[in-house]
């Protein structure tokens, strides 16, 4: 399972935090957030439904979906009806995030500046694990309210055992 599909991962908060990095305009941001919301609650996603919920015209919704599709952020699957899949937005961003931003992610989650020792630990994890695995361990620590680098290191070490 991908990190953004885990129950502890808040997709909409992540999207809001990364609007600038994703280079989304206001219409794209609201449409992506609404699609995620509708998908989560298994509601039908249609142009008219998005138009009504986002308070945008059908034409603007259609253009916005085309723009998101061109950016590679959205796929429209037509098997068994129409389904708007936004998982690419999370996949694409992984390649956009460098190791320096990973340090920022930890600082945001810990609500403080990380120490030199902690920076060294993260740098070591970057050499040993991929970004997704590190973020998954961090999110698990947040979910379990055990915000320590030792705990995150243990999660990462055990993730190797499980593979």
């Amino acid at each position: 399972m991908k990190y953004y599909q885990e129950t502890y991962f808040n997709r909409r908060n992540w999207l809001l935090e990364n609007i600038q990095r994703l280079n989304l305009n206001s219409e794209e941001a609201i449409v992506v957030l609404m699609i995620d919301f509708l998908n989560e609650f298994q509601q039908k996603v249609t142009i008219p439904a998005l138009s009504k919920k986002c308070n945008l015209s059908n034409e603007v919704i259609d253009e916005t979906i085309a723009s998101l599709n061109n950016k590679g952020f959205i796929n429209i699957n037509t098997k068994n009806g129409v389904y708007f899949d936004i998982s690419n937005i999370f996949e694409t961003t992984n390649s956009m995030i460098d190791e320096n931003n990973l340090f920022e992610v930890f600082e945001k989650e810990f609500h403080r500046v990380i120490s030199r020792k902690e920076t060294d630990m993260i740098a070591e994890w970057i050499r040993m694990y991929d970004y997704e695995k590190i973020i998954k361990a961090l999110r698990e620590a947040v979910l379990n309210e055990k915000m320590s680098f030792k705990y995150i290191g243990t999660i990462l070490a055990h993730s190797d055992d499980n593979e």
Side-chain angles (χ1 to χ4, degrees), residues 119-136:
T119 302
D120 292 343
M121 288 177 86
I122 295 171
E124 182 65 25
W125 293 338
I126 290 169
R127 284 189 287 281
M128 296 171 60
Y129 307 102
D130 64 16
Y131 173 84
E132 188 173 303
K133 203 175 271 191
I134 296 168
I135 290 296
K136 184 176 180 180

Side-chain angles (χ1 to χ4, degrees), residues 3-151:
Y3 74 96
Y4 54 85
Q5 295 170 324
E6 298 285 351
T7 55
Y8 57 80
F9 185 76
N10 187 319
R11 293 164 55 111
R12 286 186 288 281
N13 283 356
W14 186 92
L15 286 165
L16 288 167
E17 286 177 12
N18 289 284
I19 286 174
Q20 183 179 8
R21 181 178 291 137
L22 294 165
N23 198 27
L24 296 176
N25 65 35
S26 57
E27 285 88 10
E28 290 168 336
I30 193 71
V31 168
V32 166
L33 289 165
M34 187 56 68
I35 289 171
D36 186 57
F37 174 81
L38 293 171
N39 283 344
E40 180 181 340
F41 293 100
Q42 299 170 345
Q43 295 180 21
K44 194 171 185 176
V45 180
T46 63
I47 301 292
L50 286 170
S51 175
K52 183 178 179 182
K53 291 200 175 279
C54 295
N55 199 26
L56 298 168
S57 71
N58 286 350
E59 293 78 22
V60 170
I61 295 293
D62 193 42
E63 290 169 12
T64 303
I65 288 173
S67 173
L68 290 165
N69 191 33
N70 289 338
K71 289 180 177 181
F73 289 157
I74 192 170
N75 286 321
I76 304 167
N77 300 324
T78 54
K79 234 183 221 182
N80 302 326
V82 177
Y83 176 76
F84 291 83
D85 179 10
I86 62 166
S87 6
N88 279 355
I89 203 164
F90 302 100
E91 296 287 339
T92 304
T93 350
N94 279 345
S95 62
M96 296 163 67
I97 297 174
D98 62 19
E99 67 184 51
N100 291 329
N101 288 338
L102 191 56
F103 298 111
E104 292 173 14
V105 171
F106 271 82
E107 287 181 344
K108 277 185 182 177
E109 291 297 335
F110 277 74
H111 304 290
R112 63 175 172 79
V113 176
I114 55 177
S115 71
R116 179 70 187 151
K117 182 180 176 185
E118 292 166 337
T119 302
D120 292 343
M121 288 177 86
I122 295 171
E124 182 65 25
W125 293 338
I126 290 169
R127 284 189 287 281
M128 296 171 60
Y129 307 102
D130 64 16
Y131 173 84
E132 188 173 303
K133 203 175 271 191
I134 296 168
I135 290 296
K136 184 176 180 180
L138 174 62
R139 299 289 183 213
E140 187 175 326
V142 170
L143 177 69
N144 291 319
E145 297 179 357
K146 295 187 179 183
M147 296 299 294
S148 78
F149 278 77
K150 184 177 179 181
Y151 185 76

